[in-house]
Amino acid sequence: MSTTTAPPPARRRHAARGRLTAWLFIAPLLIVNVLVIAGPGLMSVYYSFTDWDGLDQADFIWFSNYAELFGDPDFRRALLHNLLWTAFFLIVPMSMGLLGAFLLSRIRRGQLAFRVLFFIPYVIATVVSATIWRQILSPTSGVGPALSDLGIPLLDDVNFLGDGDIALGAVAFINNWQWWGFLVVIFLAAMQGIEPSLYEAARMDGASTWREFWHITLPSIRPTFMFLSLMTVIWSFLVFDYVYILTQGGPAGSTDVLSTVMYRAAFEEQQAGYASAIGVILALISATTVCGYLYLRRRLRWDI
Amino acid sequence: MSRNLARRDLLKLGGGALAASWVLAACGSSDSSGSTSSSSGGSSSGAVKDVTYWAAFATPEGQKYFQQNFVDAFNGSQKNVRVKMDVKQLMTLGQLTNTAVAAGKGADVVYADGPSAALSFAKNGKTVALDAYATKYQWKDRLLPWAYDVSEVDGKLHSVPVGYGSLVLYYNPETFAQHGWKVPTTLAEFEAVCADAKSKGLIPVGAGNSGYKAQTEWYLTCVLNAAVGPKALHEALTGKRKWDDKVFVDAITLVKSWIDKGWWGGSSDRYFTNTDTDMFTGLAGGKVAMYMTGTWSFDSADTFFTGGKKWDWAPLPSLNDAVPAGVYPLAIGTTLSINAKSENAEAAAEFIDYMIADPSRMLGMLAATGTNPAPLKVDANAYPAEVDERVARLYKAIPQTKNLGYASWSFVPPKTDTYLYTEFDKVITGDMSPADFCAGLQKAFAAELAEGSVPKPFTPES
């Protein structure tokens, strides 16, 4: 018969010290998070129920900002752009990243050079790469006029960032240029953890490259794939830098996303309360995405 | 090998972190804003009052001149006051100031990019009334009446204008001579030059808002003053005429028609990718015929005109036969106020006074750098011979003319002003009609008029 005995005092002290150590390590980050995330976050929720203009006293107006939001065509258009942006980044860079990583995983010589090459755009400051691309796509001094000088007037009448019909796609293309190389590196790291014997067995069974990818590679890296998909959704709703630097949401709102509408409301139109409401909506979208991910993992036991 | 941390280790870690944070804090304290600190040096003592001032300059030469001749000179003349100037980016200074002042922080001397922005601070109690200082330093006697009046909020002076100019028509005399054009003064002449320039592959009128959306209000200020006229604008600014009146709708329709013809910025899509730099470069290179913009570019226009090329300017042409040609929209680009949270208001006022007390100091800066001066009562003979003839011509012409107009960022209230340059994009793309644009303008203005947020415009003489 076994008996349960209380741990001796020395062990309890040791365990308590371990917990204290852990708390001491986590405390600086916790304090920073409370100060720069939780505090301002709660303030934003409060201000979203007010008519605060950023300077004057804030008066409580309950849900008026939210009611106004959903009647605001600029907000609705920006939300649509965020959804299109999300779809684009879930499909194009993810596909390019997977393909690039899979092809790289199958070569031995020069792999490092390609990894570095693909990763370089990611380490370039956004403002630098955006400025370079703005020059490249400039209708007066960019690739269009350069081709024209060579007798190829293919892009003569194309203004990538000035034409409202194509500007959002142009900005997404530029952002993707920086982003997809990062995905290649992450997917490649995940692929390198796959047991080689799985591929050997598949080859012995006569599996094609495509079937290897579909039946071995993709299922094996599913947690990485799902995590990057989750982050892509969240980042797609938070996108700001490229849009702001390249077009500031123009022409006439054709590249506006929620964050640029929020920025304009807060800092140009003196509608800080309204901007806070947009911020709360953005936070809710991100929280919903994370909750959905956690639900799939924990409740439905999805292996992601 | 892993091992548990002993109390000693934790103390060492904690001590190290504390020491590191002190080092970081010490490094950071020399310039907490991350911007260029331009204080005159010397350690602060208990008797010396520091006055902080955030500024921005279009050129390094302007910054250097201001530092030496205003900040250092002021500090050298004082025993108990020291101005510490922090230089920020020109495009973001207004926004930085707004955020800081709203949070009850910011510099002692508060910058605003015009009376309209300064009015927002005043209405919300973020800046103090300056009437006592105005009396002490006789600012009413020194400043031009219109500039003093527009700086008052509810009958009290809340800001001091320290930089003013106008909007004019820049052109390249060589290009005009080459094509046989005459500088336009009427709508017919203006349209004739535009049509000819377009047919020859030039951009007739420079325009664009890439990089700085508010550039649109520069162009709209020109169009409204030249096509509607100061009298109708004054009526609108005082609520006697609505902004959706036919005269405004016609003016916006007119400029929209020019955009559709490719006269304004080249084409509607080019408008959104053209920058101010592109337009001056085009003007110098003979690819842009005319450019209507502000006289703040006097200090930088020469950088585009190299190899003996020269720019020149002319007053805005009339864009409506009922409006006299040659209107000068008055624009105050920089105002200074005193932060309500300042503990050194007296010293801050002393520095503001130093900037405008001696007109020769301002005119010296105008001569050396072309920087727009404060709107001071200055005799035409007071301009030094070193002032560029083109610059002196403007500042001698303004006091003599009766055809003075209104720049939007000086006389239009802040939210209405933002509406002007953000919503006009939709007119350009055809997403909004000129009539709807003007209706929205009226709605925004009416709300601010009711709040008492409209700067007081001078009465036009023409």
Side-chain angles (χ1 to χ4, degrees), chain A:
Chain A
M1 191 179 89
S2 66
T3 55
T4 306
T5 54
R11 269 182 70 186
R12 280 209 304 272
R13 275 202 304 276
H14 187 74
R17 186 184 292 171
R19 281 197 297 274
L20 177 68
T21 306
W23 275 108
L24 280 171
F25 271 106
I26 212 169
L29 192 62
L30 202 62
I31 291 166
V32 169
N33 274 357
V34 167
L35 287 177
V36 303
I37 297 175
L42 289 173
M43 291 295 285
S44 291
V45 174
Y46 167 75
Y47 281 123
S48 74
F49 295 111
T50 71
D51 64 351
W52 193 42
D53 66 0
L55 282 171
D56 205 355
Q57 191 180 333
D59 292 323
F60 221 62
I61 53 169
W62 294 101
F63 290 93
S64 295
N65 284 328
Y66 292 96
E68 191 183 337
L69 266 183
F70 291 102
D72 180 353
D74 290 344
F75 173 81
R76 289 203 306 265
R77 181 153 75 158
L79 183 60
L80 174 67
H81 290 163
N82 273 111
L83 291 170
L84 291 172
W85 190 275
T86 306
F88 176 87
F89 275 83
L90 280 175
I91 297 167
V92 179
M94 291 291 273
S95 306
M96 289 171 69
L98 276 173
L99 182 67
F102 185 65
L103 294 177
L104 269 185
S105 70
R106 303 182 82 80
I107 63 170
R108 290 290 169 263
R109 295 184 65 180
Q111 193 192 73
L112 184 66
F114 277 110
R115 282 164 68 173
V116 171
L117 202 65
F118 290 162
F119 202 68
I120 282 175
Y122 190 71
V123 296
I124 295 175
T126 303
V127 68
V128 174
S129 60
T131 306
I132 291 169
W133 273 103
R134 193 164 58 193
Q135 293 297 322
I136 292 172
L137 300 183
S138 165
T140 51
S141 56
V143 65
L147 285 174
S148 198
D149 289 346
L150 295 170
I152 311 167
L154 198 65
L155 300 174
D156 266 7
D157 296 321
V158 183
N159 188 349
F160 291 98
L161 299 173
D163 182 343
D165 292 334
I166 57 173
L168 185 68
V171 178
F173 170 85
I174 294 167
N175 197 343
N176 179 40
W177 172 80
Q178 186 182 47
W179 179 236
W180 82 280
F182 171 76
L183 295 181
V184 168
V185 174
I186 301 296
F187 281 135
L188 184 61
M191 287 176 191
Q192 285 172 338
I194 301 171
E195 185 57 52
S197 60
L198 293 174
Y199 289 111
E200 287 162 14
R203 279 175 207 140
M204 286 174 72
D205 289 342
S208 64
T209 305
W210 167 249
R211 291 178 80 86
E212 281 182 31
F213 174 76
W214 191 251
H215 292 290
I216 299 172
T217 309
L218 212 50
S220 301
I221 63 162
R222 193 164 58 188
T224 305
F225 180 82
M226 290 307 293
F227 177 74
L228 285 176
S229 300
L230 170 83
M231 296 314 294
T232 298
V233 174
I234 293 173
W235 286 330
S236 294
F237 276 92
L238 299 180
V239 60
F240 176 78
D241 46 6
Y242 272 104
V243 178
Y244 192 74
I245 296 166
L246 289 166
T247 62
Q248 296 184 348
S254 58
T255 58
D256 256 336
V257 286
L258 290 180
S259 56
T260 54
V261 174
M262 178 175 71
Y263 181 86
R264 201 163 52 241
F267 297 110
E268 290 180 15
E269 294 166 357
Q270 299 181 324
Q271 293 182 293
Y274 189 69
S276 298
I278 299 175
V280 170
I281 297 287
L282 273 171
L284 284 175
I285 291 169
S286 297
T288 306
T289 309
V290 173
C291 288
Y293 176 77
L294 293 176
Y295 181 79
L296 292 176
R297 267 179 73 95
R298 292 183 182 172
R299 292 296 174 92
L300 300 185
R301 304 284 178 195
W302 280 32
D303 181 22
I304 51 175

